[in-house]
């Protein structure tokens, strides 16, 4: 089964393969499943703007979106969305599923007389995904002025 762009994916298997190949990455998993699982993650994000139509299958295209200072037409799904899906898919293929339940990070550890305390959020476990999503998802509190 191939993914159908616009109904269950933003990217095709061919685009995922080309994206990975250009970066020297070999995909070991099923590309269709990776893209669908990546969509499961993406579709649960709080994207900026609003769906362009109430009955559309996916979160994009959207209205009220500005990226890098440019208004995005409500009929367009930005390439950043496709890149984000492909980054999530590649992360999942590398056994780093952003939806996986993980144990909490250790903030402080003591062994004998040595104690180490780590700064909160001193590192991220998904920098490529976070970078791909930057400018696409809401952050913090949304303020609406009437």
């Amino acid at each position: 089964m191939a993914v159908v762009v616009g109904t269950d994916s933003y990217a095709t298997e061919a685009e995922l393969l080309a994206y990975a190949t250009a970066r020297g990455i070999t995909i070991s998993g099923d590309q269709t499943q990776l893209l669908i699982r990546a969509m499961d993650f993406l579709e649960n994000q709080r994207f900026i703007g609003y769906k362009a139509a109430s009955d559309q299958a996916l979160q994009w295209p959207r209205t009220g979106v500005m990226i890098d200072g440019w208004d995005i037409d409500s009929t367009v799904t930005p390439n950043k969305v496709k890149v984000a899906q492909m980054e999530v898919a590649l992360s999942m293929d590398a056994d780093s599923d952003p939806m996986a339940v993980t144990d909490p990070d250790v903030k402080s550890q003591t062994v004998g007389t040595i104690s180490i305390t780590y700064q909160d959020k001193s590192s991220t476990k998904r920098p490529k995904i976070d970078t791909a999503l930057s400018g696409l998802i809401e952050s913090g509190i949304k303020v609406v002025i009437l």
Side-chain angles (χ1 to χ4, degrees), residues 30-94:
D30 180 277
Q31 293 173 29
T32 299
Q33 290 178 0
L34 289 169
L35 287 170
I36 296 296
R37 289 176 50 218
M39 285 302 293
D40 291 343
F41 173 79
L42 281 183
E43 290 300 293
N44 284 298
Q45 300 304 304
R46 292 183 51 201
F47 288 108
I48 56 176
Y50 307 91
K51 280 185 171 185
S54 62
D55 62 346
Q56 70 189 47
L58 303 177
Q59 291 294 322
W60 290 87
R62 297 177 76 77
T63 62
V65 174
M66 181 179 276
I67 298 175
D68 297 331
W70 296 92
D71 288 320
I72 305 300
D73 187 274
S74 64
T75 62
V76 173
T77 297
N79 191 57
K80 282 185 70 119
V81 175
K82 187 182 291 190
V83 169
Q85 181 186 8
M86 292 186 289
E87 283 293 346
V88 172
L90 292 176
S91 178
M92 289 175 166
D93 192 49

Side-chain angles (χ1 to χ4, degrees), residues 5 12 23 27 31 39 43 50 59 73 77 84 99 110 114 116 121 125-128 133 139 142:
V5 173
T12 65
R23 287 153 182 80
I27 300 171
Q31 293 173 29
M39 285 302 293
E43 290 300 293
Y50 307 91
Q59 291 294 322
D73 187 274
T77 297
M99 295 192 316
T110 303
I114 300 172
I116 301 173
K121 298 183 182 182
K125 293 183 179 183
R126 50 179 225 182
K128 289 184 178 182
L133 287 172
S139 60
K142 186 174 184 177

Side-chain angles (χ1 to χ4, degrees), residues 110-132:
T110 303
V111 178
T113 60
I114 300 172
S115 178
I116 301 173
T117 301
Y118 300 95
Q119 182 179 6
D120 287 339
K121 298 183 182 182
S122 61
S123 67
T124 180
K125 293 183 179 183
R126 50 179 225 182
K128 289 184 178 182
I129 293 172
D130 293 340
T131 298

